[in-house]
Amino acid sequence: MSGAPGIAYLVGAGPGDPGLMTARALELLVAADVVIYDRLIPDGVLDMCRPDAELIYVGKEPGKPSTGQERINELLVQHGRAGKLVVRLKGGDPFVFGRGGEEAEALADAGIPFEVVPGISAGVAAPAYAGIPVTHREEASAVAFITGHEDPAKPETSLDYEALARFPGTLVFYMGVKSLPRISERLIAAGRSPSEPAAVIERGTLPRQRVVSAPLERIGAAAQEAEIKPPALTVVGPVAARREQIAWLERR
């Protein structure tokens, strides 16, 4: 074991399109001794790593066994204490529903130096690739990012649906495809218009991206009928209707 600690980098890999990774993320991948990576990272990006780099998969997939967060924290600390340059490669941005904050706290508690390398969040990139601007001068001066998949151990939701229904802007729900009918029902019950435009984006920014559009009251059923699968996110708000004019990817 090295006498001095190494350093860990919490790196955002972006939404899936390899071209949307930052130059800093690519630079660190080339230099890394250890890469601890998630499932939702761009295809082929690990080919950039050194042949002698240790690659550790800790991805999570619905319905399958996965590495717990405590174990991931342990791996970061273990390899950091061994004097390694560690890259924790996460889809999207580390601090946007990526548990990067928990990992940073574990490293700080262990005295391991670390840096955070932001990545493009899917909550912005996927709607952009679907032709949906999450803000618009005429229709949305604010945007809220919301988890659609809360911790199943929680006794009840921590989301304030009445506040979300009143929110004067765009709602972007990460994950939660199975929960979408319940989410839309709760929003409507709290006062959001049933006819408000909504869209579900599957595999945003990737070649097999699919988008399903429908009014809020129908979006859950429409997603089920189209057999939308994770990873996917949902946009609720007037800007979702802008897709009819702006959907540039399908027209390319």
Side-chain angles (χ1 to χ4, degrees):
M1 179 179 292
S2 172
I7 184 168
Y9 295 89
L10 306 179
V11 178
D17 181 343
L20 297 181
M21 288 188 69
T22 66
R24 180 61 169 156
L26 298 175
E27 174 187 340
L28 291 170
L29 275 178
V30 171
D33 298 310
V34 179
V35 179
I36 302 172
Y37 65 100
D38 280 350
R39 178 172 65 97
L40 299 178
I41 62 171
D43 289 341
V45 72
L46 295 177
D47 294 341
M48 301 184 60
C49 298
R50 300 193 330 244
D52 62 336
E54 184 175 359
L55 307 181
I56 304 173
Y57 177 70
V58 293
K60 296 176 175 61
E61 190 168 354
K64 295 185 178 181
S66 61
T67 306
Q69 188 59 49
E70 288 187 7
R71 177 56 182 157
I72 295 173
N73 294 349
E74 290 171 359
L75 287 168
L76 288 168
V77 171
Q78 171 191 330
H79 289 287
R81 283 179 172 160
K84 304 291 183 63
L85 190 162
V86 183
V87 168
R88 173 69 174 106
L89 191 62
K90 308 168 75 68
D93 180 273
F95 281 7
V96 181
F97 302 123
R99 299 190 179 182
E102 298 172 46
E103 294 169 357
E105 289 166 347
L107 290 163
D109 288 342
I112 307 297
F114 67 91
E115 294 181 16
V116 180
V117 180
I120 298 175
S121 174
V124 173
Y129 269 55
I132 300 172
V134 292
T135 64
H136 192 283
R137 185 171 59 169
E138 296 175 3
E139 293 179 327
S141 297
V143 56
F145 298 123
I146 309 140
T147 179
H149 181 69
E150 295 185 89
D151 185 343
K154 293 162 64 172
E156 58 184 27
T157 180
S158 61
L159 296 178
D160 185 339
Y161 278 91
E162 291 188 0
L164 292 175
R166 294 193 305 269
F167 184 74
T170 306
L171 304 178
V172 179
F173 289 89
Y174 284 65
M175 304 168 286
V177 175
K178 291 183 179 179
S179 305
L180 190 52
R182 184 175 71 253
I183 290 170
S184 59
E185 288 171 5
R186 287 179 172 176
L187 285 173
I188 292 168
R192 203 90 181 183
S193 172
S195 61
E196 186 165 31
V200 182
I201 308 162
E202 177 188 85
R203 298 181 62 84
T205 79
L206 296 174
R208 289 185 289 164
Q209 172 181 297
R210 289 198 299 155
V211 184
V212 173
S213 299
L216 179 58
E217 64 182 349
R218 276 274 307 147
I219 193 63
Q224 290 179 345
E225 290 165 7
E227 298 184 346
I228 294 292
K229 306 293 184 185
L233 57 76
T234 302
V235 180
V236 178
V239 292
R242 298 270 170 180
R243 167 176 160 72
E244 296 178 11
Q245 182 177 6
I246 305 176
W248 57 274
L249 187 63
E250 291 91 334
R251 297 175 185 143
R252 176 177 287 183

